[in-house]
Amino acid sequence: MCIRDSLFITSLRDPSTGVRANAVRALGEIGDDRAIEPLIEALNDTHSNVQIKTLEALGKFKDQRILGEIIPFLGSKDQQLRNVAEKSFIAVAKRTAQARVYVYRKDGVRYIAERRNQVPKGINYSELMIHPDTAAKLIHALNTCDVKTGILEVLVKFEDDRIEPHLINLLEDAAPQVRTRAISRLYHFAQETTVPHLIEALKDKDNGVRKEAARMLGHLQDKRAVQPLLESLNDTNVRVREASATALGQLGDKKAMNPLIERLNDSNDMVR
């Protein structure tokens, strides 16, 4: 019997929300690829619980078509929808990726290894997927959706030269949480051209953005950040001063020694 004529397919149109939700769950468990199109159609259900169950079901398949259908939910204003969409999206992307690479930094330099055993011992790394078409779709969505954080969290699971410039562009976003998140995700994507933008972010009006910029500059270990970080030691926000002091310690530049010693008299014990 054709799957479209099965009871579960028919149940996707049932008036009961519970019946529809159970139907998509069952189709996901069966795992027949002929269920993919009906499940994609079920994403248009008017009830969020059915959409959630549908996203969960689609996450069990290996078909690149699914990724484009899930992307709009990554930018949903419903946090639960976003969370489930992210989990399912990554699951399908891993199954359909062309390859995986391992990105790490050593002495401030970015490296890409094709195998995990090529990463030096004791070095933190990110396992990223090679998936050019999907990365392009995510970048497009990032520039058009209202809720960018969900798209951003998925985008940084991929290795693509186009990602870093778009993370930089987000430093101009109107929402402080987007600017902060973009900076925090730059570590494995940053190039030499990234540093001036982070230095500029030390002047951001938001305390959290300035703190994250200082923290990232310390991790990137670029000496161009020394003087701007020295100036940030006088920031009005204690968290920014603390992050700047820590970053200067990571950079290990001698001219930071005396200013850091002076900060031993800071009014806040976290900075001291």
Side-chain angles (χ1 to χ4, degrees):
M1 179 178 65
C2 176
I3 194 168
R4 279 193 173 274
D5 296 329
S6 71
L7 175 62
F8 293 129
I9 297 298
T10 303
S11 296
L12 292 177
R13 298 186 293 273
D14 194 277
S16 168
T17 300
V19 171
R20 298 198 305 277
N22 286 333
V24 295
R25 179 182 56 79
L27 288 170
E29 291 176 354
I30 292 170
D32 191 315
D33 284 350
R34 291 174 294 178
I36 293 175
E37 288 188 15
L39 285 170
I40 287 174
E41 292 174 10
L43 287 174
N44 295 317
D45 197 281
T46 57
H47 199 283
S48 63
N49 187 51
V50 177
Q51 290 178 317
I52 288 169
K53 296 299 182 184
T54 304
L55 288 167
E56 291 174 343
L58 286 169
K60 298 178 180 180
F61 290 89
K62 179 183 178 180
D63 191 311
Q64 192 166 330
R65 291 176 298 167
I66 294 170
L67 298 174
E69 303 297 333
I70 294 180
I71 285 176
F73 293 91
L74 297 173
S76 171
K77 293 180 179 180
D78 185 318
Q79 185 173 350
Q80 188 176 6
L81 271 175
R82 289 202 311 273
N83 291 343
V84 175
E86 179 181 336
K87 183 178 179 179
S88 292
F89 187 95
I90 292 172
V92 177
K94 285 182 177 179
R95 297 188 194 107
T96 58
Q98 294 180 10
R100 298 183 192 182
V101 294
Y102 304 89
V103 179
Y104 65 95
R105 305 192 78 90
K106 185 178 180 183
D107 299 326
V109 180
R110 185 177 190 261
Y111 295 92
I112 300 177
E114 294 183 356
R115 296 188 301 274
R116 187 160 45 192
N117 61 10
Q118 294 175 329
V119 179
K121 290 183 179 180
I123 299 291
N124 291 328
Y125 65 87
S126 275
E127 180 181 319
L128 304 181
M129 294 175 277
I130 304 293
H131 218 311
D133 291 344
T134 300
K137 290 177 181 178
L138 286 168
I139 288 170
H140 175 74
L142 186 67
N143 294 326
T144 56
C145 71
D146 292 328
V147 182
K148 294 183 173 66
T149 51
I151 303 286
L152 176 59
E153 287 306 304
V154 172
L155 180 61
V156 295
K157 305 293 184 183
F158 296 84
E159 166 56 26
D160 194 292
D161 290 341
R162 295 168 290 183
I163 293 176
E164 187 258 1
H166 286 278
L167 291 178
I168 294 299
N169 289 342
L170 289 179
L171 301 188
E172 303 296 328
D173 194 88
Q177 65 268 30
V178 173
R179 301 198 300 275
T180 303
R181 191 77 64 89
I183 293 172
S184 71
R185 297 300 181 264
L186 268 169
Y187 181 70
H188 286 297
F189 298 93
Q191 309 285 351
E192 285 189 6
T193 53
T194 305
V195 173
H197 297 281
L198 291 174
I199 289 173
E200 187 63 26
L202 290 174
K203 304 173 186 175
D204 194 278
K205 61 184 179 181
D206 184 80
N207 295 336
V209 174
R210 298 198 306 278
K211 172 198 166 187
E212 196 60 34
R215 191 184 71 84
M216 189 55 59
L217 285 168
H219 289 322
L220 295 181
Q221 299 182 337
D222 190 303
K223 297 295 185 181
R224 289 175 292 175
V226 172
Q227 186 56 42
L229 285 169
L230 285 172
E231 295 171 8
S232 289
L233 286 176
N234 297 314
D235 196 279
T236 56
N237 183 268
V238 61
R239 300 286 184 179
V240 178
R241 297 201 302 275
E242 179 190 8
S244 299
T246 300
L248 286 165
Q250 291 172 303
L251 287 166
D253 193 285
K254 290 183 179 179
K255 68 180 180 181
M257 184 67 70
N258 287 335
L260 285 173
I261 290 173
E262 291 175 6
R263 277 295 149 194
L264 292 174
N265 296 316
D266 193 277
S267 59
N268 191 283
D269 58 358
M270 294 180 65
V271 179
R272 297 197 300 272

